[in-house]
Amino acid sequence: MPKPPTMKDVAAAAGVALKTVSRHVNGATNIDPALAARIAAAITELGYRHNLAAASIRPGRSAKVIGLVISDLANPYWSLLARSVERTLSANGYLLMTVSSEEDADRHRLLIDRLLAQRVDGLIVSPPRRDTTAWAAAAAPLLPVVAIDRPALSAPPPPAPVQDARATREDQPLSLAEPPAPSRTDDDLHTDADVDAMRRQHPPLVDTILADNAGGAQAATRELLRHGARRILFLGDSLELYTMRERHAGFLRALASAAPEGADFSVATAHTAAEAADVVTALLGTGRIDAVFAANNRASVGAVDAFTRVGARLPLIGFDDFEAATLVRPGVSVVAQDVALMGEAAAQAVLARLAGDTPPPATTTLPTRLILRGSELP
Amino acid sequence: MPKPPTMKDVAAAAGVALKTVSRHVNGATNIDPALAARIAAAITELGYRHNLAAASIRPGRSAKVIGLVISDLANPYWSLLARSVERTLSANGYLLMTVSSEEDADRHRLLIDRLLAQRVDGLIVSPPRRDTTAWAAAAAPLLPVVAIDRPALSAPPPPAPVQDARATREDQPLSLAEPPAPSRTDDDLHTDADVDAMRRQHPPLVDTILADNAGGAQAATRELLRHGARRILFLGDSLELYTMRERHAGFLRALASAAPEGADFSVATAHTAAEAADVVTALLGTGRIDAVFAANNRASVGAVDAFTRVGARLPLIGFDDFEAATLVRPGVSVVAQDVALMGEAAAQAVLARLAGDTPPPATTTLPTRLILRGSELP
DNA sequence: TTGTACGCGTTATCAG
DNA sequence: CTGATAACGCGTACAA
């Protein structure tokens, strides 16, 4: 690997000063055409390439690179988001460094450190599940930071289990990696979801792009109730995740406001589609549930898989659209987020601050859309 | 945005020389513990962060960043690959810059230029469909380059349409964005696929990681024939794409070697799942085809979608596994690539050369696996 | 319009 | 073990 030619080499070959080459490379117009031609010739001759890394250390200059921290590129939700962010940034001359935290708090911190060391111009981050907000507090003064999918909030302490007449807690249906979250009702204040809601009143630490998780879950649950569901299973990931708490809260809100007397519900946790399928398989035919709200795409896939394998189904609505949703019969109804729009909004928020805007950090909550395809019916 | 503190600031605050701070930051051991403590204190005090971009301009140093050029992050195939690459690189201290070329040759060149200007340490590239190999020739002398999914080959000229008794060409079933590729048989030499095969004999321009596209397609086609298929539809993307040519060649090879007298086939092109669904819908029930080989994941999804909508199905095998494949009945049989392994192999190839290895560029062809789930049956 | 001299934040040399 | 000094590749005052 021969070391690449520098501006100095080009200047020497073209018989001009360094500065003139610099001008040419940066597209300045006020250059003698004769010199410009000599320089251009020397550049192609030597195979010179502008060194952006070197240029970026000058004050006021930057490499035009943005960092994106998500939890898992392999999940279609995140890859769609990453694509959308990359498109918007690319159209504005920025490159994107994407890293996966895999929901690991330590790795999350490490990755952010690395990106800051790399001197990226901006950061789009999905906060980790037990967020201390330390990363945001440290990074925000240095560069534009946007939180996506979840706000930069410290995780509230786990709430105490609560029971009431209308809310019963499923015994752990299968051995799962994590105990199922306790069921709660709307009457029960001072819970994690409520803490989230309270904090949302205060100005956010950084610009934040969210979907209306609670609203979407509420609409889906209401739809299931409308079709006669009385014992709905909330099947999702750990309630340590903000989005899960929100969707859970929306679920409960629908039950509190729209459920007839005697309605009941249960909650189960599954990290993967396979775990979700196991949960549903174990419950199918027991009569303990008569409908499923799948709180993320993996849960939806698991539920459909269980239905297909067992040869029986229950009314189902999922959160997040997924490719298979239109391929099975009945089609899977979902609460769809506009992922492309979220990515674009996050990218635009970073770009706006890079362009000099300095409004106080704001939270943008994008609406979700209930797409009915038939699976909500009994 | 206050400008971040530098090593000089830290040195001043700690009352030591610049070089000592540099030593401390780079983890040198031979430092007076007292000074080291003062430096550490100053670093946390000032909030100093190592500037890797600045450090990388020294000769022999680099930012430890790799560029990845793929065609579309939104396609699960590419996002899985990107995840795998990122994992391997991340484990070795490298960051990844992922960009999508969207199969556009100009954009492809632009992106590679940009990544080279950024002085990435290595490049993992899926060559564009009409590759001139100019990018590879230019980049390969500068840094480790790996071609993935397709070799870095110039595209051969489109072959002249050929006909014979056993091969008939479907009239264009629907108005598609691109005319269907001509059908050919094994007797027909000097075709694009054959050119590909010939070039593969010669040493590749750069390290290359491929899947056994032809072998997988051949196995799938043979399986369809074994179950009685006689008029198979090859449903794929443009044959300008190397992988499509390879799969098409394998398809033809199976027909040539295993098809009984009177067997027939046809070829249709579709860029999206929707287009593929339209093609299959138009052909279903006409009797012109009695089985489908879907040459990529979008074609598979389209075929399944058509089957579901029409309420009729034909034997089907797809290329590339996809999430919905196990959720429909019958399960969709596929030729599966080990995407994770391909990504890891590509990353390891780059890392090996970065570590100093300099073997001649080699091509690694990874086996594919035929997964039978029932859809291959009549 | 072009060139000179210097600084950006870091690391390497080499003398103390 | 430490520190002054010179690069690294590039952009910008400022002078010519």
Side-chain angles (χ1 to χ4, degrees):
Chain A
M1 308 282 170
K3 79 163 188 294
T6 75
M7 266 195 187
K8 186 153 58 170
D9 302 329
V10 174
V16 296
L18 200 65
K19 169 63 188 163
T20 314
V21 180
S22 174
R23 281 225 180 93
H24 181 92
V25 167
N26 287 24
T29 55
N30 49 349
I31 302 182
D32 186 322
L35 290 191
R38 293 223 311 268
I39 293 173
I43 286 180
T44 46
E45 164 81 21
L46 300 177
Y48 168 79
R49 318 192 73 96
H50 193 193
N51 186 338
L52 260 156
S56 73
I57 78 169
R58 300 308 313 279
R61 297 245 151 195
S62 84
K64 306 200 83 171
V65 175
I66 305 290
L68 173 66
V69 184
I70 60 180
S71 62
D72 180 13
L73 240 197
N75 188 317
Y77 173 74
W78 291 113
S79 61
L80 277 175
L81 195 66
R83 197 266 287 261
S84 172
V85 169
E86 191 227 320
R87 277 210 176 159
T88 306
L89 291 180
S90 176
N92 290 76
Y94 282 81
L95 285 178
L96 185 64
M97 293 184 129
T98 307
V99 294
S100 297
S101 70
E102 298 172 14
E103 294 293 353
D104 182 287
D106 289 335
R107 182 170 164 75
H108 194 274
R109 195 177 26 250
L110 224 62
L111 290 172
I112 296 222
D113 267 7
R114 180 72 157 78
L115 289 169
L116 289 177
Q118 209 79 44
R119 290 299 191 273
V120 294
D121 300 306
L123 228 33
I124 300 175
V125 180
S126 167
R129 65 173 62 192
R130 301 219 160 192
D131 195 0
T132 60
T133 70
W135 65 271
L142 299 173
L143 39 52
V145 177
V146 173
I148 193 161
D149 186 61
R150 320 161 190 175
L153 294 175
S154 2
V162 183
Q163 301 278 50
D164 83 350
R166 214 178 62 243
T168 65
R169 179 170 169 287
E170 270 300 328
D171 289 334
Q172 196 164 339
L174 290 172
S175 142
L176 300 175
E178 191 167 351
S183 304
R184 308 159 322 132
T185 74
D186 244 20
D187 309 321
D188 169 26
L189 289 177
H190 309 304
T191 63
D192 38 6
D194 299 313
V195 171
D196 289 336
M198 284 165 53
R199 297 199 185 189
R200 225 178 309 129
Q201 306 304 320
H202 298 300
L205 197 56
V206 296
D207 284 328
T208 305
I209 313 289
L210 304 174
D212 180 13
N213 291 284
Q218 184 172 1
T221 308
R222 196 180 310 232
E223 186 71 17
L224 288 172
L225 290 169
R226 207 166 68 78
H227 290 289
R230 291 297 173 267
R231 296 184 302 283
I232 309 181
L233 170 67
F234 178 95
L235 178 59
D237 206 329
S238 162
L239 289 195
E240 278 181 12
L241 291 164
Y242 168 83
T243 51
M244 284 299 140
R245 288 200 301 276
E246 285 289 306
R247 293 167 197 178
H248 187 242
F251 173 75
L252 294 180
R253 202 176 304 151
L255 288 173
S257 70
E261 278 307 306
D264 194 7
F265 70 95
S266 53
V267 174
T269 303
H271 299 306
T272 65
E275 281 179 18
D278 289 343
V279 170
V280 173
T281 301
L283 288 172
L284 262 179
T286 64
R288 292 159 77 188
I289 62 172
D290 63 5
V292 177
F293 173 61
N296 66 17
N297 55 6
R298 293 187 298 274
S300 301
V301 167
V304 171
D305 192 30
F307 293 168
T308 309
R309 282 207 307 244
V310 173
R313 58 172 287 277
L314 291 174
L316 166 71
I317 300 186
F319 207 107
D320 283 341
D321 209 352
F322 59 109
E323 188 175 53
T326 58
L327 298 180
V328 296
R329 281 297 172 271
V332 180
S333 302
V334 296
V335 179
Q337 306 186 41
D338 193 338
V339 187
L341 189 56
M342 288 182 68
E344 193 185 328
Q348 293 293 6
V350 170
L351 290 172
R353 288 197 184 270
L354 285 173
D357 286 14
T358 53
T363 296
T364 305
T365 303
L366 294 154
T368 54
R369 199 160 51 95
L370 181 59
I371 303 177
L372 297 178
R373 300 191 173 112
S375 70
E376 76 280 9
L377 302 173
Chain B
M1 307 281 169
K3 78 166 191 292
T6 75
M7 265 193 187
K8 186 153 58 172
D9 301 329
V10 174
V16 296
L18 200 60
K19 174 62 187 161
T20 312
V21 180
S22 174
R23 281 217 183 86
H24 180 91
V25 168
N26 289 26
T29 54
N30 48 348
I31 302 182
D32 185 322
L35 291 191
R38 294 225 307 271
I39 293 172
I43 285 180
T44 45
E45 164 81 21
L46 300 178
Y48 167 79
R49 317 193 75 96
H50 193 193
N51 186 337
L52 260 156
S56 72
I57 79 169
R58 302 313 313 288
R61 293 244 153 195
S62 84
K64 305 200 86 173
V65 175
I66 306 289
L68 173 65
V69 184
I70 60 180
S71 61
D72 180 13
L73 240 197
N75 187 317
Y77 173 74
W78 292 113
S79 61
L80 277 175
L81 195 65
R83 196 267 286 261
S84 172
V85 170
E86 191 227 320
R87 277 210 175 160
T88 306
L89 291 181
S90 176
N92 289 75
Y94 282 81
L95 285 178
L96 185 63
M97 294 185 126
T98 307
V99 295
S100 297
S101 70
E102 298 172 14
E103 294 294 352
D104 181 288
D106 289 335
R107 182 169 163 75
H108 194 274
R109 195 177 26 250
L110 223 62
L111 290 172
I112 296 225
D113 267 7
R114 180 71 156 79
L115 289 170
L116 289 176
Q118 208 80 43
R119 290 300 191 272
V120 294
D121 300 305
L123 228 32
I124 301 176
V125 179
S126 167
R129 65 172 64 192
R130 299 218 161 192
D131 195 0
T132 61
T133 70
W135 65 271
L142 299 173
L143 38 53
V145 176
V146 173
I148 194 161
D149 186 59
R150 320 162 190 173
L153 295 174
S154 2
V162 183
Q163 300 279 48
D164 83 349
R166 216 178 60 243
T168 64
R169 180 170 168 287
E170 270 300 329
D171 290 333
Q172 197 164 338
L174 290 173
S175 141
L176 300 175
E178 191 167 351
S183 305
R184 309 158 322 132
T185 74
D186 244 20
D187 308 322
D188 169 27
L189 290 178
H190 308 304
T191 61
D192 39 4
D194 299 314
V195 171
D196 289 337
M198 282 164 55
R199 296 197 187 190
R200 224 178 310 128
Q201 307 303 321
H202 298 301
L205 197 56
V206 298
D207 284 327
T208 305
I209 313 290
L210 304 174
D212 181 13
N213 291 285
Q218 185 173 0
T221 308
R222 196 179 310 233
E223 187 70 16
L224 287 173
L225 290 169
R226 206 167 69 77
H227 289 291
R230 292 296 174 267
R231 295 184 303 284
I232 308 178
L233 169 67
F234 178 95
L235 178 59
D237 206 328
S238 162
L239 290 194
E240 278 181 13
L241 290 164
Y242 167 84
T243 51
M244 283 299 141
R245 290 201 298 278
E246 285 288 306
R247 293 167 198 178
H248 187 242
F251 173 75
L252 294 180
R253 201 176 305 151
L255 288 173
S257 69
E261 277 308 306
D264 194 6
F265 71 95
S266 52
V267 174
T269 304
H271 298 306
T272 66
E275 281 179 18
D278 289 344
V279 170
V280 173
T281 302
L283 288 172
L284 262 179
T286 64
R288 290 159 79 187
I289 62 172
D290 64 4
V292 177
F293 174 60
N296 66 17
N297 56 5
R298 293 188 298 273
S300 300
V301 168
V304 171
D305 192 30
F307 293 168
T308 309
R309 282 207 307 244
V310 174
R313 57 171 288 276
L314 290 175
L316 166 71
I317 300 185
F319 208 107
D320 283 339
D321 208 353
F322 60 109
E323 189 177 51
T326 58
L327 297 180
V328 296
R329 281 296 172 269
V332 180
S333 301
V334 295
V335 180
Q337 306 185 42
D338 193 337
V339 187
L341 189 56
M342 288 181 69
E344 192 185 329
Q348 292 293 7
V350 169
L351 290 173
R353 288 195 185 271
L354 284 172
D357 286 13
T358 53
T363 296
T364 305
T365 302
L366 284 79
T368 54
R369 200 160 50 95
L370 181 60
I371 303 177
L372 297 179
R373 299 191 173 112
S375 70
E376 75 281 9
L377 302 174

